[in-house]
Amino acid sequence: MRVSNSDIDRIYVNIATRNNGYRFNMPDNHFHMYYELYYCKSSKCTFFIENQMLEMNAGDFLLIPPREMHYTKYTSDTPCVRINIYFKYSDLVDNIYINNDTFKNYFSSKEVFHVPSAYQGKINEHLQSMLTEDKLDDEHSSKTLRLLLKELFLYCIRLCSFNRYTPAIINTTDEHMLTLAKYITDNYDKPLTLTDVADMAGLSYTYLSKKFKITTGMRFKEYLNYVRLKQAATKLAATKLTITDIAMSCGFNDSNYFKDAFKKTYGLSPRCYRKSSDAQIDE
C-alpha cells in the first residue's frame, strides 16, 4: 500500500487481522495528514483518541481526522479484522452528493457510528468492492474509489447510528490517565513537566510515565509535544502570528527547537507549512 504519513495520491483501502498483543511495524501511536475511516469487521478493539477511549465492535466505524494522534489496543482473544480507508477531504465532499454541512454535522465528531447487524452484510460487500478496486489500481481506480467512498458514506448516513459508550474494560487507572491527558491538552501552553503533573496527581513520576504510556501509547513528553505541535499547526494555518510568537504561545521556550520538532513531525518547516495549501484546515 502506497501510503505515507504526509500525503496520498488517491484513496487507499486495506484489510488486516490483529491479535491480542500484536505489535505493529509502525509506532503504536501515529497520525496522518489525511482522513482515516476505520471499520471493525469482527471482534473488538479499543481506541485512544483526543483524550477519549472508545470501544469498537463488529459493524462499528470511526472517522479519524487529519493530525489526530490515535492508538489502538487489541485485547480480545478473538482476532480482530479491521478495514482502513485513507482519503482526503476533496475525495468525499463535492457539494453534490455529500456537502460540507452534511460532512461536518454527521462525520466530524469523534464518535463511533454503528451499522445494524441486518445491514452489515451489505456494508461488508461494499467494502470488499473497495478492497478489490484498490488492488486493481488501474487508470480508472481513483475515480471509481471516489464514487464507492461517497456511496459508503451515504449508506452510513441512512443506516448508522452513533454509539456513545466507553469501553467495558476501562479501569480506574485508565480514567486517571485520560484525565491527565485532558489536563495536558487544556494546559499545553504552560511549563508542564512530568514531575509537576505527577505531584499534582499524587503519583510517582515513574508510575505516571509507565501508566500513561500503557493507556495512550505515548510517553508524557511525547504527548505534550504532540499537543503543542498540533496547536501550533492550527495557528500557522489560521493566524498571522509570527512563528516565534506561535512557538512561545504553544509552550516552546526555544524557537529553534520548535522549528526542528515541527519539521520532524510534519515534514515541513513552520514557514513552508504555512505557505502550503495543505496547511489549510478543512472546513
Side-chain angles (χ1 to χ4, degrees):
M1 185 179 67
R2 296 159 298 282
V3 176
S4 68
N5 177 61
S6 59
D7 199 12
I8 49 176
D9 57 358
R10 66 165 174 83
I11 297 168
Y12 288 92
V13 191
N14 72 3
I15 185 170
T17 300
R18 302 299 191 217
N19 298 304
N20 185 0
Y22 184 90
R23 302 297 295 177
F24 305 100
N25 290 327
M26 70 170 66
D28 290 337
N29 55 79
H30 61 283
F31 68 92
H32 318 287
M33 298 300 288
Y34 41 82
Y35 285 91
E36 175 183 348
L37 183 62
Y38 185 105
Y39 178 68
C40 183
K41 185 177 180 182
S42 66
S43 192
K44 62 182 180 179
C45 65
T46 303
F47 258 85
F48 170 79
I49 182 170
E50 201 181 59
N51 308 324
Q52 302 179 77
M53 290 189 75
L54 304 173
E55 183 177 278
M56 297 189 66
N57 296 280
D60 285 350
F61 281 103
L62 178 65
L63 182 66
I64 304 165
R67 301 187 295 274
E68 195 67 65
M69 189 76 76
H70 50 284
Y71 171 57
T72 316
K73 292 183 181 179
Y74 298 93
T75 56
S76 174
D77 292 332
T78 306
C80 177
V81 179
R82 62 100 174 114
I83 297 173
N84 301 86
I85 303 173
Y86 304 97
F87 66 95
K88 293 182 178 180
Y89 180 83
S90 57
D91 291 323
L92 180 65
V93 175
D94 58 11
N95 293 323
I96 298 175
Y97 298 102
I98 297 179
N99 61 35
N100 186 51
D101 289 339
T102 300
F103 182 81
K104 288 174 66 176
N105 293 339
Y106 197 87
F107 300 112
S108 295
S109 60
K110 299 176 188 67
E111 296 180 273
V112 174
F113 48 106
H114 179 70
V115 182
S117 57
Y119 301 107
Q120 287 179 24
K122 181 180 183 68
I123 294 296
N124 289 338
E125 288 179 7
H126 190 84
L127 289 167
Q128 184 57 54
S129 296
M130 296 187 73
L131 286 163
T132 300
E133 191 63 45
D134 180 87
K135 287 185 178 180
L136 184 60
D137 193 19
D138 64 13
E139 67 272 21
H140 305 295
S141 292
S142 179
K143 292 181 180 179
T144 303
L145 282 166
R146 285 188 179 189
L147 292 172
L148 289 170
L149 180 66
K150 290 179 173 67
E151 188 175 3
L152 175 64
F153 270 78
L154 290 171
Y155 282 147
C156 289
I157 292 171
R158 175 178 288 176
L159 303 175
C160 292
S161 59
F162 285 109
N163 286 341
R164 295 177 171 87
Y165 50 70
T166 55
I169 62 170
I170 195 169
N171 54 45
T172 55
T173 300
D174 288 332
E175 289 176 351
H176 205 167
M177 294 304 109
L178 294 175
T179 299
L180 292 177
K182 186 176 187 306
Y183 179 83
I184 293 170
T185 300
D186 292 342
N187 296 276
Y188 67 89
D189 56 334
K190 297 179 174 63
L192 300 179
T193 67
L194 175 61
T195 301
D196 290 341
V197 174
D199 289 343
M200 180 195 71
L203 303 170
S204 72
Y205 75 90
T206 53
Y207 178 86
L208 172 58
S209 180
K210 178 181 178 181
K211 294 301 181 182
F212 196 86
K213 168 73 173 176
I214 290 172
T215 300
T216 68
M218 286 166 274
R219 298 191 184 280
F220 173 87
K221 185 64 174 180
E222 291 176 312
Y223 189 74
L224 177 58
N225 273 346
Y226 157 69
V227 172
R228 286 173 168 172
L229 290 170
K230 181 184 174 186
Q231 293 295 328
T234 300
K235 291 182 179 183
L236 284 166
T239 76
K240 299 298 184 181
L241 292 171
T242 67
I243 292 172
T244 297
D245 286 344
I246 288 174
M248 298 302 170
S249 70
C250 291
F252 293 97
N253 295 323
D254 185 332
S255 61
N256 288 327
Y257 172 80
F258 163 69
K259 292 173 185 177
D260 291 342
F262 192 94
K263 186 171 184 179
K264 182 177 180 181
T265 299
Y266 288 102
L268 293 170
S269 68
R271 189 178 303 279
C272 291
Y273 185 92
R274 169 171 269 172
K275 290 180 179 179
S276 172
S277 59
D278 291 336
Q280 300 303 311
I281 298 174
D282 291 329
E283 299 258 325

